[in-house]
Amino acid sequence: MTTPIPQAIPTPSKDFTVTIIGGGIGGLILAAGLIRRKVRVQIYEAATEFKEIGLGLSIGPAAHRALRLIASELRGIYDSLVTTHADSPGYEAFRQTWFEIVWACGPNEGDILMNMKALPSGQTTVRRADFLDALISLVPREIVHFGKRVESFIEDEDEDGLGGILLKFDDGDEVRADVVVGCDGIKSKVKESMLVEESKLKQPRYSGMYCYRAVLDMDDMVQAVGDQRARVSTLYLGQGVYGISYPIMRAKKVNVGLYVLQENWDCDTWIRPAQKEDLRRDASKMGRYWEALVEYMPDSSQWALFEHPHLSTFCRSRVAILGDAAHASTPHQGAGAGQAIEDAHVLAELLADPRVQSTRDVEAAFKAYDSIRRPRSQRIVTSSKEGAYLLCLCLDGVGDDGEKFKETFEERMKWIWDLDVQGQVEQARENMVI
Ligand SMILES: Cc1cc2nc3c(=O)[nH]c(=O)nc-3n(C[C@H](O)[C@H](O)[C@H](O)COP(=O)(O)OP(=O)(O)OC[C@H]3O[C@@H](n4cnc5c(N)ncnc54)[C@H](O)[C@@H]3O)c2cc1C
């Protein structure tokens, strides 16, 4: 059955509708940006409702600035949900701190190596589920189609000889779309149909690290590691292992993660159950804080961290990919969702550009998007992977040298955070040949 696309925006500014596949952070933010700019949107989401696992998410200053540019209310929403260090009475002085970096073990165990600032916002964290719930409020319910998992697409012509994209769903349904943006995450089906041969060669790959994750009550956290370590976001540096903790939910809870280097992942699934003993063994290399902390972690599952090899392009014809579908990264710089947000801003601005009226113009917009967003997001995939070695004190040229660590870490994060987000849009506009 072929279902026509319902038209939801009353006064559209364009001759086309953008069909977004996937309603995660990237898909919803792109939808909000396009709707704000009067571009018609439809969203197809595989899940039967919008959902996110209840862990924390932290975005850096560049993505934070991009939120306001995409839609002013987006920034308001994010800011109304964030937890900052000022949510803990007595810790207001840490308002601009991103993380305190602490030696987990060794001769300096427990010492603070540096107070890393993220200016001007400092650490801003949200509970993913809360952020997604709030994003949903920006998207009219009637443009969202749940329980629709895209299997593949083909480009073809309709009865009138007009080109289009025929989306095929796993329930046998088909939908014709003018233009498609795949925001369907690291296992993207849109990407597989868009780059058939390349996708076979470039499957998501295990990054050489797995992690344990948990959300703990602040009281338990204070009990385990003391007040300052519980309330101030902390990166714990270890040999071959690193740890992270940051307060969420107005400092009532703390998001924690323990990241372990391990060359191979000999399991078919990306999450595997493990025993408390496994967690204890990994934490035993991490000094007294983590020895205490793991006793409060309710789940010992191990999460393999995957990343995407660099693709040769983020678009083909009238189809583009965005966020993890295009450049899934390891989380060691806290920048994956931020990249999806930056992508969404550049793409929304290009598609709303007055020169882009027809589907043919969209092809030019997609190429311009690719030319600007691919180099940056792929560099972040690479530097995030190196970031794992940096935090595990084994990056070539740095190792466990504290001074070199500070210099390297600051330089890397500055590159991510100091982006002129609107400048990327203007460069992309210049690259757009219509
Ligand atoms: C442990 C960990 C910690 C992280 N921490 C941070 C952090 O602190 N800060 C940060 O910026 N980033 C972080 N990230 C990265 C961040 O989570 C991702 O980059 C971000 O969620 C990507 O958003 P997305 O919308 O592109 O994809 P996703 O969030 O994966 O959303 C994809 C959506 O598409 C839907 N979908 C999938 N397949 C189909 C299909 N075939 N048809 C229709 N719909 C489909 C899914 O149901 C989902 O709703 C972390 C990642 C990990 C693994």
Side-chain angles (χ1 to χ4, degrees):
M1 187 183 77
T2 302
T3 320
I5 294 177
Q7 307 298 312
I9 298 176
T11 49
S13 60
K14 309 287 180 184
D15 300 343
F16 56 83
T17 297
V18 177
T19 297
I20 295 174
I21 309 302
I25 288 172
L28 284 175
I29 291 185
L30 176 65
L34 290 172
I35 291 167
R36 183 66 53 252
R37 291 164 178 76
K38 293 195 165 53
V39 180
R40 278 179 304 221
V41 177
Q42 294 290 318
I43 304 177
Y44 291 87
E45 164 57 45
T48 50
E49 57 181 318
F50 287 122
K51 60 172 189 264
E52 264 283 5
I53 40 175
L55 301 173
L57 184 76
S58 146
I59 67 166
H64 195 227
R65 285 193 298 277
L67 283 177
R68 193 187 49 223
L69 299 171
I70 296 168
S72 51
E73 59 273 46
L74 256 179
R75 171 74 171 264
I77 282 176
Y78 186 83
D79 286 350
S80 71
L81 295 171
V82 292
T83 297
T84 70
H85 291 121
D87 284 306
S88 287
Y91 288 86
E92 294 80 3
F94 289 89
R95 184 68 180 81
Q96 293 190 317
T97 296
W98 185 50
F99 280 99
E100 278 198 318
I101 318 254
V102 168
W103 297 105
C105 52
N108 303 317
E109 181 179 336
D111 290 355
I112 296 165
L113 172 64
M114 70 190 291
N115 177 341
M116 177 86 177
K117 302 243 164 61
L119 301 176
S121 46
Q123 182 63 270
T124 63
T125 61
V126 291
R127 190 168 158 265
R128 280 168 183 262
D130 296 343
F131 188 39
L132 205 75
D133 278 350
L135 289 179
I136 294 160
S137 67
L138 298 178
V139 178
R141 178 65 187 81
E142 64 273 19
I143 66 165
V144 188
H145 311 271
F146 289 108
K148 303 299 287 182
R149 181 176 292 279
V150 165
E151 276 289 316
S152 61
F153 71 81
I154 50 167
E155 278 196 75
D156 70 350
E157 293 186 349
D158 63 16
E159 307 89 57
D160 302 322
L162 294 171
I165 294 144
L166 191 67
L167 291 161
K168 302 185 175 202
F169 293 87
D170 67 350
D171 58 5
D173 246 3
E174 294 181 347
V175 165
R176 189 171 293 284
D178 303 327
V179 296
V180 168
V181 184
C183 305
D184 49 342
I186 187 168
K187 295 178 182 171
S188 171
K189 291 287 179 188
V190 174
K191 178 198 65 201
E192 284 179 13
S193 282
M194 188 180 96
L195 297 171
V196 177
E197 292 310 317
E198 190 174 343
S199 283
K200 284 181 200 151
L201 300 172
K202 295 181 182 171
Q203 289 290 310
R205 63 182 173 215
Y206 173 63
S207 67
M209 191 163 231
Y210 64 83
C211 70
Y212 302 89
R213 308 168 78 188
V215 173
L216 305 186
D217 287 336
M218 179 59 87
D219 291 346
D220 287 345
M221 190 71 183
V222 171
Q223 200 70 25
V225 296
D227 209 57
Q228 176 153 341
R229 288 285 55 86
R231 294 186 178 278
V232 178
S233 302
T234 304
L235 275 169
Y236 296 87
L237 308 179
Q239 298 280 354
V241 189
Y242 83 90
I244 185 169
S245 75
Y246 53 82
I248 55 173
M249 298 171 74
R250 303 275 181 252
K252 291 191 173 50
K253 305 265 181 192
V254 184
N255 192 91
V256 299
L258 185 68
Y259 293 80
V260 184
L261 283 178
Q262 180 180 271
E263 209 166 318
N264 298 310
W265 180 255
D266 51 3
C267 181
D268 292 338
T269 55
W270 291 16
I271 305 174
R272 70 175 170 208
Q275 304 299 317
K276 193 79 177 190
E277 273 320 302
D278 298 314
L279 175 55
R280 286 194 184 111
R281 184 200 60 232
D282 285 333
S284 69
K285 304 166 198 157
M286 286 290 283
R288 64 175 187 275
Y289 286 130
W290 276 86
E291 253 168 55
L293 209 161
V294 294
E295 297 308 321
Y296 292 90
M297 289 174 72
D299 183 4
S300 306
S301 298
Q302 295 174 340
W303 299 53
L305 296 172
F306 276 67
E307 63 178 1
H308 211 289
H310 294 346
L311 295 168
S312 61
T313 180
F314 288 176
C315 66
R316 198 197 74 202
S317 181
R318 299 167 184 192
V319 180
I321 47 178
L322 175 152
D324 276 13
H327 46 68
S329 162
T330 51
H332 313 303
Q333 296 173 147
Q339 286 310 290
I341 292 167
E342 292 174 21
D343 287 351
H345 178 54
V346 173
L347 195 52
E349 286 274 89
L350 291 175
L351 291 174
D353 187 287
R355 287 178 294 159
V356 177
Q357 283 303 324
S358 66
T359 50
R360 195 175 296 270
D361 304 331
V362 170
E363 292 185 32
F366 281 169
K367 280 190 188 144
Y369 157 78
D370 173 66
S371 72
I372 293 302
R373 292 301 308 158
R374 192 160 42 84
R376 173 165 166 86
S377 56
Q378 291 183 338
R379 181 169 162 186
I380 283 180
V381 175
T382 303
S383 70
S384 179
K385 179 159 185 177
E386 291 165 1
Y389 300 120
L390 182 66
L391 295 168
C392 290
L393 303 175
C394 55
L395 183 68
D396 281 350
V398 180
D400 60 1
D401 182 321
E403 287 313 307
K404 285 186 182 159
F405 177 95
K406 284 197 254 184
E407 197 184 313
T408 309
F409 197 51
E410 267 176 339
E411 189 188 310
R412 283 162 179 259
M413 297 316 297
K414 196 170 155 40
W415 184 79
I416 297 173
W417 292 343
D418 285 359
L419 177 77
D420 172 3
V421 185
Q422 196 55 31
Q424 286 233 308
V425 173
E426 300 318 326
Q427 278 174 33
R429 278 195 222 280
E430 279 175 28
N431 293 358
M432 187 162 66
V433 183
I434 292 183

